[in-house]
Amino acid sequence: MSDSVTAQRVSVLGLGAMGTALARALLAAGHEVTVWNRTAARAEALVAEGATAAATAGEALTAAELVILCVLDDAAVREHVEPARERLRGRVVVNLTTTTPEQARALGRWAEEGRIAWIDGGIMAVPSMIGGPGAFVLYSGVAAAFERLRPVLEVFGRAEFVGTDPGAAAMYDVSILGGMYAMFAAFRQGGAMVRTTGGSAARLAALMAPFLQAMTLSLTEQAVGIDTPERYVQEQSDEFTAAAIDLIDKAATESGTPTELFGVLRRVLTGL
Ligand SMILES: NC(=O)c1ccc[n+]([C@@H]2O[C@H](COP(=O)([O-])OP(=O)(O)OC[C@H]3O[C@@H](n4cnc5c(N)ncnc54)[C@H](OP(=O)(O)O)[C@@H]3O)[C@@H](O)[C@H]2O)c1
């Protein structure tokens, strides 16, 4: 426990791979942790490490002022919090379960009506990264509660508050993941293409990774074109970008690999 962080009572509901990592990080930081999991045996290792097991979800929800949820999905969250609204009044609930932005908003409205401080979160890490330097978590919802509990939440990784709309964290989360999947799709396509010349996806990975890393520097500049298009001076014309994508599309056709990705890229990036 660092001198600046006071030990807090924290409840963690959901001890899958991620919930276990979150509870472990809280224990390592010196917090008093109550845990609950639908399948009780999953709590045993954490109890051996100093956590207290709650017998029921309701007991865990009321054992601490700060309640962290990390279950499968929105339905699992609702199943346990809805019957406990009265008992959650005045507490801070941080829902780190992955949901859609609209599901997060609906839960935020439900919590506000029950005078529960609701914070939705999106974890940008895998369980082994929790508490390490590369992990960060997006949060949105009740700002004052977030700021008050920030030192506790920072044990998971960098804490990024992205807005008071409870759906904001989920929206940034899915947007970041969308970027990742678009990159994976293009890599898969490129891997298939270079193999038709006797190359390998492994060689492509070694060459593509540093190039893409350098390209990410231009995202900040491109953001101006989305946030304030009237102030944006585009470096390359849409015609230039469309021609470049058409050339890649032609190469894909020549290589006998699928081409549907490039039509989508052309439309999204140039509107042409
Ligand atoms: N793993 C990751 O890399 C990662 C990264 C970012 C975000 N997340 C998010 O974190 C959340 C948990 O992921 P995970 O990796 O820990 O998944 P997991 O290992 O599959 O665990 C799922 C957890 O949800 C519980 N659960 C499922 N249905 C439930 C219900 N109806 N009531 C109560 N508990 C229920 C399970 O309990 P039982 O043990 O009883 O089945 C288990 O504790 C998900 O929303 C996931 O999207 C995960």
Side-chain angles (χ1 to χ4, degrees):
M1 163 86 37
S2 86
D3 291 345
S4 58
V5 181
T6 316
Q8 288 269 344
R9 296 176 75 161
V10 187
S11 286
V12 179
L13 286 90
L15 303 174
M18 187 52 89
T20 297
L22 300 174
R24 199 160 270 148
L26 289 164
L27 285 170
H31 297 296
E32 216 176 294
V33 184
T34 296
V35 292
W36 176 83
N37 193 61
R38 183 180 59 178
T39 307
R42 274 180 125 164
E44 284 167 12
L46 288 162
V47 169
E49 293 169 38
T52 302
T56 62
E59 191 182 311
L61 288 171
T62 50
E65 190 223 355
L66 171 59
V67 176
I68 293 178
L69 304 170
C70 190
V71 290
L72 185 67
D73 56 15
D74 182 66
V77 170
R78 286 187 169 275
E79 182 185 330
H80 300 289
V81 297
E82 279 179 354
R85 180 147 75 169
E86 282 301 310
R87 282 170 290 145
L88 280 170
R89 177 173 296 193
R91 296 177 203 276
V92 180
V93 179
V94 178
N95 185 21
L96 297 179
T97 306
T98 306
T99 66
T100 69
E102 199 40 53
Q103 287 170 336
R105 274 190 201 116
L107 278 168
R109 283 192 297 270
W110 172 87
E112 195 178 2
E113 284 160 19
R115 286 194 246 146
I116 302 161
W118 195 268
I119 297 170
D120 188 73
I123 303 173
M124 307 312 298
V126 294
S128 61
M129 290 166 67
I130 294 299
F136 70 100
V137 183
L138 304 161
Y139 296 96
S140 57
V142 180
F146 169 79
E147 283 308 333
R148 191 158 49 79
L149 292 163
R150 179 193 275 275
V152 183
L153 299 173
E154 276 175 341
V155 307
F156 304 140
R158 209 173 76 242
E160 294 274 358
F161 190 78
V162 291
T164 53
D165 175 343
M171 198 65 95
Y172 276 94
D173 185 349
V174 296
S175 301
I176 293 170
L177 293 179
M180 177 187 79
Y181 285 121
M183 179 181 75
F184 288 164
F187 176 67
R188 190 173 288 200
Q189 168 84 34
M193 285 166 70
V194 295
R195 282 178 61 79
T196 66
T197 63
S200 70
R203 186 78 198 275
L204 181 67
L207 296 167
M208 195 191 246
F211 181 79
L212 289 183
Q213 215 164 356
M215 287 300 103
T216 61
L217 298 176
S218 75
L219 294 182
T220 307
E221 203 179 296
Q222 290 186 38
V224 180
I226 302 166
D227 289 335
T228 49
E230 67 285 358
R231 288 208 285 113
Y232 186 52
V233 182
Q234 200 166 313
E235 201 179 322
Q236 283 172 340
S237 70
D238 288 338
E239 286 71 23
F240 177 94
T241 303
I245 294 171
D246 287 346
L247 190 137
I248 305 168
D249 185 90
K250 194 156 188 278
T253 305
E254 287 172 5
S255 71
T257 58
T259 58
E260 67 265 27
L261 183 61
F262 302 107
V264 175
L265 293 183
R266 193 186 207 276
R267 277 194 300 281
V268 173
L269 291 174
T270 72
L272 297 174

